[in-house]
mmCIF file of all heavy atoms in Angstrom:
data_model
loop_
_atom_site.group_PDB
_atom_site.id
_atom_site.type_symbol
_atom_site.label_atom_id
_atom_site.label_comp_id
_atom_site.label_asym_id
_atom_site.label_seq_id
_atom_site.Cartn_x
_atom_site.Cartn_y
_atom_site.Cartn_z
ATOM 1 N N LEU R 108 59.774 136.686 113.416
ATOM 2 C CA LEU R 108 58.624 135.750 113.713
ATOM 3 C C LEU R 108 59.096 134.366 113.347
ATOM 4 O O LEU R 108 58.811 133.448 114.183
ATOM 5 C CB LEU R 108 57.318 136.067 113.022
ATOM 6 C CG LEU R 108 56.089 135.192 113.278
ATOM 7 C CD1 LEU R 108 55.821 135.105 114.831
ATOM 8 C CD2 LEU R 108 54.908 135.736 112.512
ATOM 9 N N GLU R 109 59.777 134.194 112.238
ATOM 10 C CA GLU R 109 60.252 132.912 111.878
ATOM 11 C C GLU R 109 61.133 132.247 112.799
ATOM 12 O O GLU R 109 61.261 131.143 113.198
ATOM 13 C CB GLU R 109 60.771 132.985 110.497
ATOM 14 C CG GLU R 109 59.732 133.068 109.369
ATOM 15 C CD GLU R 109 60.324 133.245 108.051
ATOM 16 O OE1 GLU R 109 61.413 133.698 107.956
ATOM 17 O OE2 GLU R 109 59.686 132.848 107.020
ATOM 18 N N ARG R 110 61.972 133.127 113.336
ATOM 19 C CA ARG R 110 63.032 132.745 114.431
ATOM 20 C C ARG R 110 62.277 132.409 115.711
ATOM 21 O O ARG R 110 62.700 131.368 116.278
ATOM 22 C CB ARG R 110 64.107 133.883 114.663
ATOM 23 C CG ARG R 110 65.072 134.138 113.600
ATOM 24 C CD ARG R 110 66.232 134.984 114.154
ATOM 25 N NE ARG R 110 65.844 136.283 114.479
ATOM 26 C CZ ARG R 110 65.885 137.305 113.554
ATOM 27 N NH1 ARG R 110 66.025 137.174 112.413
ATOM 28 N NH2 ARG R 110 65.358 138.618 114.056
ATOM 29 N N GLN R 111 61.266 133.138 116.031
ATOM 30 C CA GLN R 111 60.579 132.818 117.308
ATOM 31 C C GLN R 111 59.847 131.453 117.119
ATOM 32 O O GLN R 111 59.851 130.681 117.932
ATOM 33 C CB GLN R 111 59.498 134.003 117.473
ATOM 34 C CG GLN R 111 60.047 135.371 117.866
ATOM 35 C CD GLN R 111 60.498 135.432 119.252
ATOM 36 O OE1 GLN R 111 60.285 134.511 120.037
ATOM 37 N NE2 GLN R 111 61.306 136.356 119.552
ATOM 38 N N LEU R 112 59.245 131.237 115.977
ATOM 39 C CA LEU R 112 58.535 129.993 115.778
ATOM 40 C C LEU R 112 59.474 128.843 115.671
ATOM 41 O O LEU R 112 59.158 127.749 116.180
ATOM 42 C CB LEU R 112 57.783 130.100 114.409
ATOM 43 C CG LEU R 112 56.578 131.144 114.461
ATOM 44 C CD1 LEU R 112 55.942 131.221 113.046
ATOM 45 C CD2 LEU R 112 55.488 130.656 115.553
ATOM 46 N N ALA R 113 60.535 129.146 115.172
ATOM 47 C CA ALA R 113 61.595 128.025 115.102
ATOM 48 C C ALA R 113 62.126 127.644 116.526
ATOM 49 O O ALA R 113 62.470 126.535 116.818
ATOM 50 C CB ALA R 113 62.945 128.444 114.321
ATOM 51 N N GLY R 114 62.033 128.588 117.415
ATOM 52 C CA GLY R 114 62.387 128.384 118.852
ATOM 53 C C GLY R 114 61.476 127.436 119.556
ATOM 54 O O GLY R 114 61.798 126.860 120.531
ATOM 55 N N LEU R 115 60.285 127.256 118.989
ATOM 56 C CA LEU R 115 59.321 126.275 119.571
ATOM 57 C C LEU R 115 59.866 124.856 119.636
ATOM 58 O O LEU R 115 59.537 124.027 120.302
ATOM 59 C CB LEU R 115 58.038 126.320 118.757
ATOM 60 C CG LEU R 115 57.072 127.458 118.993
ATOM 61 C CD1 LEU R 115 55.879 127.400 117.968
ATOM 62 C CD2 LEU R 115 56.427 127.353 120.367
ATOM 63 N N MET R 116 60.728 124.560 118.600
ATOM 64 C CA MET R 116 61.325 123.197 118.509
ATOM 65 C C MET R 116 62.470 123.057 119.462
ATOM 66 O O MET R 116 63.024 121.820 119.567
ATOM 67 C CB MET R 116 61.802 122.977 117.011
ATOM 68 C CG MET R 116 60.709 123.269 116.023
ATOM 69 S SD MET R 116 59.264 122.246 116.225
ATOM 70 C CE MET R 116 59.931 120.588 116.134
ATOM 71 N N SER R 117 62.908 124.031 120.067
ATOM 72 C CA SER R 117 64.074 123.877 121.090
ATOM 73 C C SER R 117 63.684 123.615 122.342
ATOM 74 O O SER R 117 62.833 124.329 123.038
ATOM 75 C CB SER R 117 64.922 125.108 121.042
ATOM 76 O OG SER R 117 65.886 125.084 122.010
ATOM 77 N N PRO R 118 64.181 122.490 123.042
ATOM 78 C CA PRO R 118 63.755 122.228 124.437
ATOM 79 C C PRO R 118 64.452 122.957 125.551
ATOM 80 O O PRO R 118 64.140 123.011 126.664
ATOM 81 C CB PRO R 118 64.060 120.633 124.610
ATOM 82 C CG PRO R 118 65.388 120.549 123.645
ATOM 83 C CD PRO R 118 64.950 121.384 122.490
ATOM 84 N N THR R 119 65.365 123.851 125.006
ATOM 85 C CA THR R 119 66.154 124.545 126.030
ATOM 86 C C THR R 119 65.766 126.056 126.027
ATOM 87 O O THR R 119 66.197 126.663 127.019
ATOM 88 C CB THR R 119 67.749 124.431 125.673
ATOM 89 O OG1 THR R 119 67.886 125.006 124.300
ATOM 90 C CG2 THR R 119 68.106 123.001 125.608
ATOM 91 N N LEU R 120 64.961 126.486 125.066
ATOM 92 C CA LEU R 120 64.607 127.777 125.209
ATOM 93 C C LEU R 120 63.260 128.186 125.891
ATOM 94 O O LEU R 120 62.363 127.418 125.618
ATOM 95 C CB LEU R 120 64.494 128.425 123.746
ATOM 96 C CG LEU R 120 65.827 128.521 123.010
ATOM 97 C CD1 LEU R 120 65.657 128.922 121.507
ATOM 98 C CD2 LEU R 120 66.967 129.371 123.613
ATOM 99 N N ASP R 121 63.203 129.149 126.700
ATOM 100 C CA ASP R 121 61.946 129.604 127.310
ATOM 101 C C ASP R 121 61.110 130.241 126.122
ATOM 102 O O ASP R 121 61.565 130.930 125.236
ATOM 103 C CB ASP R 121 62.055 130.587 128.403
ATOM 104 C CG ASP R 121 62.821 129.863 129.598
ATOM 105 O OD1 ASP R 121 62.623 128.614 129.836
ATOM 106 O OD2 ASP R 121 63.547 130.639 130.356
ATOM 107 N N ARG R 122 59.863 130.107 126.398
ATOM 108 C CA ARG R 122 58.882 130.788 125.302
ATOM 109 C C ARG R 122 58.968 132.258 125.669
ATOM 110 O O ARG R 122 58.650 132.762 126.694
ATOM 111 C CB ARG R 122 57.585 130.224 125.416
ATOM 112 C CG ARG R 122 57.489 128.715 125.171
ATOM 113 C CD ARG R 122 56.023 128.237 125.028
ATOM 114 N NE ARG R 122 55.500 128.561 123.780
ATOM 115 C CZ ARG R 122 54.294 128.297 123.429
ATOM 116 N NH1 ARG R 122 53.417 127.832 124.300
ATOM 117 N NH2 ARG R 122 53.842 128.456 122.153
ATOM 118 N N SER R 123 59.089 133.025 124.685
ATOM 119 C CA SER R 123 59.193 134.564 124.677
ATOM 120 C C SER R 123 57.723 135.081 124.806
ATOM 121 O O SER R 123 56.820 134.447 124.374
ATOM 122 C CB SER R 123 59.906 135.106 123.549
ATOM 123 O OG SER R 123 59.132 134.988 122.424
ATOM 124 N N PRO R 124 57.648 136.415 125.149
ATOM 125 C CA PRO R 124 56.322 137.081 125.097
ATOM 126 C C PRO R 124 55.706 137.008 123.650
ATOM 127 O O PRO R 124 54.503 136.988 123.506
ATOM 128 C CB PRO R 124 56.631 138.607 125.553
ATOM 129 C CG PRO R 124 57.842 138.407 126.386
ATOM 130 C CD PRO R 124 58.648 137.240 125.788
ATOM 131 N N GLN R 125 56.646 137.070 122.664
ATOM 132 C CA GLN R 125 56.099 137.119 121.338
ATOM 133 C C GLN R 125 55.479 135.683 121.071
ATOM 134 O O GLN R 125 54.421 135.752 120.302
ATOM 135 C CB GLN R 125 57.213 137.498 120.366
ATOM 136 C CG GLN R 125 57.785 138.864 120.467
ATOM 137 C CD GLN R 125 58.770 138.991 121.538
ATOM 138 O OE1 GLN R 125 59.160 138.038 122.177
ATOM 139 N NE2 GLN R 125 59.148 140.247 121.837
ATOM 140 N N LEU R 126 56.047 134.578 121.488
ATOM 141 C CA LEU R 126 55.489 133.426 121.282
ATOM 142 C C LEU R 126 54.241 133.180 122.038
ATOM 143 O O LEU R 126 53.255 132.541 121.548
ATOM 144 C CB LEU R 126 56.510 132.177 121.512
ATOM 145 C CG LEU R 126 57.540 131.966 120.431
ATOM 146 C CD1 LEU R 126 58.342 130.823 120.811
ATOM 147 C CD2 LEU R 126 56.821 131.691 119.142
ATOM 148 N N TYR R 127 54.182 133.648 123.282
ATOM 149 C CA TYR R 127 53.021 133.552 123.986
ATOM 150 C C TYR R 127 51.774 134.333 123.300
ATOM 151 O O TYR R 127 50.650 133.820 123.147
ATOM 152 C CB TYR R 127 53.044 134.181 125.414
ATOM 153 C CG TYR R 127 53.605 133.211 126.407
ATOM 154 C CD1 TYR R 127 54.755 133.490 127.095
ATOM 155 C CD2 TYR R 127 52.874 132.053 126.731
ATOM 156 C CE1 TYR R 127 55.331 132.512 128.099
ATOM 157 C CE2 TYR R 127 53.333 131.148 127.704
ATOM 158 C CZ TYR R 127 54.518 131.436 128.297
ATOM 159 O OH TYR R 127 54.964 130.482 129.241
ATOM 160 N N SER R 128 52.172 135.365 122.614
ATOM 161 C CA SER R 128 51.253 136.202 121.864
ATOM 162 C C SER R 128 50.706 135.469 120.729
ATOM 163 O O SER R 128 49.531 135.693 120.466
ATOM 164 C CB SER R 128 51.982 137.562 121.329
ATOM 165 O OG SER R 128 51.028 138.278 120.466
ATOM 166 N N GLU R 129 51.482 134.629 119.992
ATOM 167 C CA GLU R 129 51.012 133.895 118.934
ATOM 168 C C GLU R 129 49.924 133.029 119.387
ATOM 169 O O GLU R 129 48.856 132.835 118.754
ATOM 170 C CB GLU R 129 52.126 133.073 118.275
ATOM 171 C CG GLU R 129 53.083 134.012 117.514
ATOM 172 C CD GLU R 129 52.415 134.869 116.444
ATOM 173 O OE1 GLU R 129 51.761 134.220 115.585
ATOM 174 O OE2 GLU R 129 52.616 136.040 116.438
ATOM 175 N N GLY R 130 50.057 132.322 120.516
ATOM 176 C CA GLY R 130 49.121 131.397 121.128
ATOM 177 C C GLY R 130 47.858 132.207 121.522
ATOM 178 O O GLY R 130 46.604 131.690 121.242
ATOM 179 N N ILE R 131 48.026 133.231 122.265
ATOM 180 C CA ILE R 131 46.841 134.027 122.689
ATOM 181 C C ILE R 131 46.042 134.545 121.546
ATOM 182 O O ILE R 131 44.878 134.464 121.566
ATOM 183 C CB ILE R 131 47.446 135.348 123.506
ATOM 184 C CG1 ILE R 131 48.066 134.827 124.897
ATOM 185 C CG2 ILE R 131 46.381 136.348 123.604
ATOM 186 C CD1 ILE R 131 46.996 134.320 125.798
ATOM 187 N N CYS R 132 46.674 134.918 120.431
ATOM 188 C CA CYS R 132 45.974 135.560 119.256
ATOM 189 C C CYS R 132 45.068 134.389 118.660
ATOM 190 O O CYS R 132 44.081 134.696 118.092
ATOM 191 C CB CYS R 132 46.936 136.230 118.369
ATOM 192 S SG CYS R 132 47.452 137.839 118.945
#
Side-chain angles (χ1 to χ4, degrees):
L108 179 56
E109 287 175 333
R110 286 195 298 272
Q111 293 284 347
L112 293 173
L115 283 171
M116 304 305 295
S117 172
T119 61
L120 295 178
D121 292 332
R122 300 187 83 187
S123 67
Q125 292 81 11
L126 278 183
Y127 273 122
S128 171
E129 290 303 304
I131 289 290
C132 287

